[in-house]
Amino acid sequence: MSDLRDVLVEIRWQLVRRRRALLGWAVALAAVAGIYVPFYPAMGGGELQSIVDTLPPELISALGYDRIGTPAGYLTSTVFGLLAPALLLVFGIGLGARTIAGEEEEGGLELAASAPVRRDVLLAGRIIAMHTQVFLLAVTTTVVTALLVRVVGMDVTLSGIVAAGLGLNLLVNAFATIALAVGAVTGRRAIAVAVGASIAVSSYIAHALSGVVERGDLLERLSPFSWYLAGDPVAQGVPIVGYVLLGTLTFVAWAAALTRFPRRDLGV
Amino acid sequence: MSTAVIAIDGLVKDYGDVRALDGVDLEVREGEIFGFIGPNGAGKSTTIRILLDLLRPTSGTVRVLGEDPRAGGPRLRARLGYLPGELDLDGTATARQLLEHLAQVRGGRGSDRIAPLAERFLLDLDRPVRTLSKGNKQKVGVVQALMHRPQLALLDEPTSGLDPLLQQEFLTLIREERDAGTSVFLSSHVLSEIEGVADRVALVRDGRIAVVDDVAALRAAAGQRLDVTFASDVPLAALDRVLAGVEELRIDGLRARGVWRGEPGPLIASLHGLPVARLELRDRDLEELVIDAYRADAPEGAGQP
């Protein structure tokens, strides 16, 4: 089981060297929840709803503000559907692109890849370390949100918040793994960022438009953002099909990276 | 053949349309310090990175400690040490944390030598690696390449970034490691930096080995650049006799220049009695050696890619 040992050594190392950055991101995500959740009583459910009602219905739908007057809708529109995924995707796609391709371009991968560790083992250790970091940040977001919801007395179930936090984790891990896989296949950080970010952005737009355009259900079926949010996890709990699809996307990205990375030239 | 730690035969490596290695043949013996000399872009790093399985050959065979690098995998790399030519260390981890991690990857081997080697090279282990100067990063690289007492150390431009004092310390260390059983393969674009330590050297140019020899023989074959100026006119007959053995002779007024091969004694003796105002005999630099060797190797001189 020395491969398992090698994986654990690599995970530990990646977490040690990234811990300071990780702490900074955790503070930022806690701040997102800390800024939005306490505002709900002040904005008041009905008051916010009446402001939103003055907007054109297509715009309301595109912004995801359909249910902003409800506590669950408010959390979805602010924390879980907008700012937390935006921040976490910047983190995850950036980390994914840097993990292999970025370090390869800068020469930092030389020591790791020339060490007595199989390349697929090295890659697995790094992907799992990335998943761990995304998970810790999703947990931070979820826990801070749940605490503040309790403090301000919003009518949202804990299970709904956990379901949304789980979806956030799955969504970000999918895109982060795509970016990492593109980097592991191409060795080019810029391509990894571009592919990861453009799929994420177009998926967000597709989700936003799905309630507005004709045949929006098609967009909803294709967009990972919809897999995460269309089922309204804060109010309705885990949308099983959507979350399985997000997990599948991550799995496919893993497979692509593991297929190509061990076989190609590094640092060319 | 069993004593070759590196055996390369007909190694070709293409990057797309660019041929980086064009049929490299090389054998490095167990227990020697072997210098791999050539200008930047000649293929030194490419060769070393193939030995570590970071790159895969286009064609040709490679054996490292008797094994194919790809087939040997981690088991083979556990017996190697590597200093990358372009060492990039970043992150907030300290040099100690990085080196301890690299020892962990090797099952803890080398951990006990981190402190003594760092002390020897005046390396501060408690600073974050990204704040280290280029020279200090290079020290980290040297320590991690040698700390686990590999059977074969592959060092790409090890002396770059080290000041002259530390270069000397490094060369002393290399000798000690060799005496303790490590074979050493090191590259440089400056022959003078490693000629005091290398048993044999290969000159590489344009992806080919131009010549392999021991350093003294190479120096002798390369000869020295002669530059002599006379105080007054010398009879042509006397000059002809004195400078008969000088190649590429150019006479320019009172000054004569050329290439002298062999011991300088006879030349100096023959100049005795002549009005010499100024005399210089200087080792030719590397680039000249390589060009010479390359000409000899490929007399057609047709443009290689």
Side-chain angles (χ1 to χ4, degrees):
Chain A
M1 291 317 284
S2 81
D3 286 346
L4 178 61
R5 186 194 159 278
D6 290 345
V7 169
L8 293 174
V9 167
E10 184 64 27
I11 293 171
R12 185 191 155 277
W13 172 241
Q14 293 303 321
L15 294 178
V16 163
R17 60 196 289 239
R18 299 263 323 147
R19 62 188 163 187
R20 230 189 273 181
L22 194 60
L23 191 65
W25 282 93
V27 169
L29 282 156
V32 164
I35 288 166
Y36 277 91
V37 178
F39 262 97
Y40 183 73
M43 304 290 281
E47 199 172 328
L48 195 57
Q49 187 68 60
S50 57
I51 297 171
V52 170
D53 283 344
T54 63
L55 301 172
E58 290 82 3
L59 184 60
I60 295 172
S61 171
L63 292 171
Y65 285 177
D66 322 51
R67 293 178 295 269
I68 200 164
T70 69
Y74 180 79
L75 281 188
T76 304
S77 301
T78 54
V79 177
F80 286 112
L82 189 64
L83 277 158
L87 272 182
L88 263 175
L89 283 170
V90 170
F91 171 82
I93 291 170
L95 178 59
R98 178 170 51 241
T99 293
I100 298 294
E103 288 202 18
E104 184 178 348
E105 286 181 349
E106 285 160 17
L109 199 61
E110 287 287 286
L111 292 181
S114 62
V117 177
R118 281 188 5 218
R119 267 202 221 166
D120 51 356
V121 168
L122 174 72
L123 181 67
R126 290 192 170 207
I127 300 180
I128 295 170
M130 181 182 74
H131 287 337
T132 307
Q133 294 176 63
V134 170
F135 175 74
L136 289 173
L137 294 178
V139 166
T140 303
T141 310
T142 307
V143 167
V144 173
T145 303
L147 285 174
L148 292 172
V149 159
R150 178 64 57 88
V151 169
V152 303
M154 281 170 78
D155 183 21
V156 179
T157 63
L158 180 61
S159 64
I161 293 173
V162 171
L166 176 63
L168 179 66
N169 176 55
L170 291 171
L171 175 85
V172 174
N173 266 322
F175 286 115
T177 313
I178 288 172
L180 188 145
V182 172
V185 168
T186 63
R188 298 285 178 268
R189 177 182 176 158
I191 296 176
V193 170
V195 171
S198 55
I199 298 180
V201 167
S202 51
S203 145
Y204 180 81
I205 293 171
H207 172 67
L209 293 180
S210 64
V212 182
V213 298
E214 255 179 79
R215 296 306 318 263
D217 58 318
L218 193 66
L219 290 178
E220 213 169 84
R221 242 176 279 160
L222 288 173
S223 162
F225 255 91
S226 298
W227 300 345
Y228 164 40
L229 288 175
D232 198 1
V234 181
Q236 309 289 327
V238 171
I240 292 172
V241 174
Y243 283 15
V244 168
L245 285 172
L246 288 172
T248 307
L249 195 55
T250 305
F251 180 80
V252 170
W254 262 84
L258 280 172
T259 303
R260 182 65 188 141
F261 180 65
R263 289 177 174 75
R264 72 172 173 87
D265 287 351
L266 297 186
V268 297
Chain B
M1 286 303 286
S2 63
T3 54
V5 288
I6 298 174
I8 300 175
D9 190 15
L11 180 60
V12 172
K13 178 63 188 176
D14 294 334
Y15 299 122
D17 294 337
V18 181
R19 179 149 289 192
L21 298 179
D22 188 22
V24 169
D25 302 307
L26 195 61
E27 189 177 299
V28 177
R29 299 167 196 147
E30 186 174 359
E32 74 179 337
I33 298 177
F34 192 96
F36 199 41
I37 312 296
N40 293 328
K44 304 190 297 291
S45 295
T46 298
T47 305
I48 290 176
R49 297 181 77 243
I50 287 173
L51 300 177
L52 287 150
D53 194 36
L54 295 166
L55 301 174
R56 274 72 194 255
T58 302
S59 65
T61 61
V62 175
R63 290 289 176 275
V64 179
L65 301 175
E67 292 195 77
D68 174 76
R70 184 155 191 198
R75 188 170 30 82
L76 172 59
R77 291 200 296 276
R79 301 156 71 194
L80 306 178
Y82 172 45
L83 173 66
E86 295 204 0
L87 184 63
D88 178 81
L89 305 172
D90 70 344
T92 50
T94 64
R96 187 191 310 278
Q97 286 172 321
L98 173 63
L99 290 167
E100 287 290 356
H101 163 68
L102 291 169
Q104 275 300 305
V105 170
R106 298 180 179 277
R109 282 171 57 217
S111 177
D112 55 321
R113 291 186 79 205
I114 293 173
L117 284 173
E119 192 171 340
R120 186 165 172 177
F121 283 98
L122 310 172
L123 170 64
D124 183 355
L125 286 172
D126 294 313
R127 284 182 53 191
V129 285
R130 68 167 174 199
T131 66
L132 295 176
S133 66
K134 186 172 187 300
N136 279 311
K137 285 182 181 172
Q138 189 73 0
K139 294 176 195 172
V140 175
V142 168
V143 172
Q144 64 81 32
L146 295 170
M147 64 185 182
H148 55 290
R149 294 204 183 279
Q151 265 178 276
L152 170 64
L154 303 164
L155 312 175
D156 197 355
E157 301 272 354
T159 50
S160 80
L162 297 179
D163 65 51
L165 215 59
L166 286 166
Q167 277 190 18
Q168 281 316 307
E169 190 60 39
F170 166 77
L171 295 176
T172 306
L173 174 66
I174 288 294
R175 274 190 213 100
E176 291 171 14
E177 298 300 308
R178 189 261 317 269
D179 294 344
T182 295
S183 306
V184 180
F185 183 76
L186 75 174
S187 78
S188 179
H189 61 280
V190 190
L191 177 60
S192 60
E193 271 182 13
I194 63 160
E195 66 173 305
V197 72
D199 302 306
R200 291 193 304 149
V201 298
L203 302 183
V204 58
R205 185 184 151 98
D206 292 341
R208 285 182 164 202
I209 304 295
V211 65
V212 180
D213 212 335
D214 65 73
V215 177
L218 207 61
R219 271 289 175 218
Q224 293 174 301
R225 205 156 270 291
L226 168 72
D227 187 344
V228 57
T229 307
F230 297 99
S232 55
D233 264 341
V234 178
L236 213 54
L239 199 60
D240 270 351
R241 195 185 64 247
V242 168
L243 300 177
V246 176
E247 297 167 29
E248 298 174 35
L249 182 64
R250 278 187 300 147
I251 296 177
D252 178 15
L254 293 173
R255 190 176 183 192
R257 282 173 289 182
V259 174
W260 176 258
R261 293 181 204 271
E263 299 281 313
L267 175 71
I268 292 166
S270 68
L271 285 168
H272 183 72
L274 294 177
V276 174
R278 186 178 163 279
L279 172 65
E280 183 181 307
L281 267 176
R282 181 174 52 79
D283 282 343
R284 297 169 71 206
D285 67 31
L286 165 73
E287 193 58 14
E288 295 176 284
L289 293 184
V290 175
I291 290 168
D292 265 14
Y294 195 62
R295 275 193 199 128
D297 193 49
E300 308 94 272
Q304 296 293 330

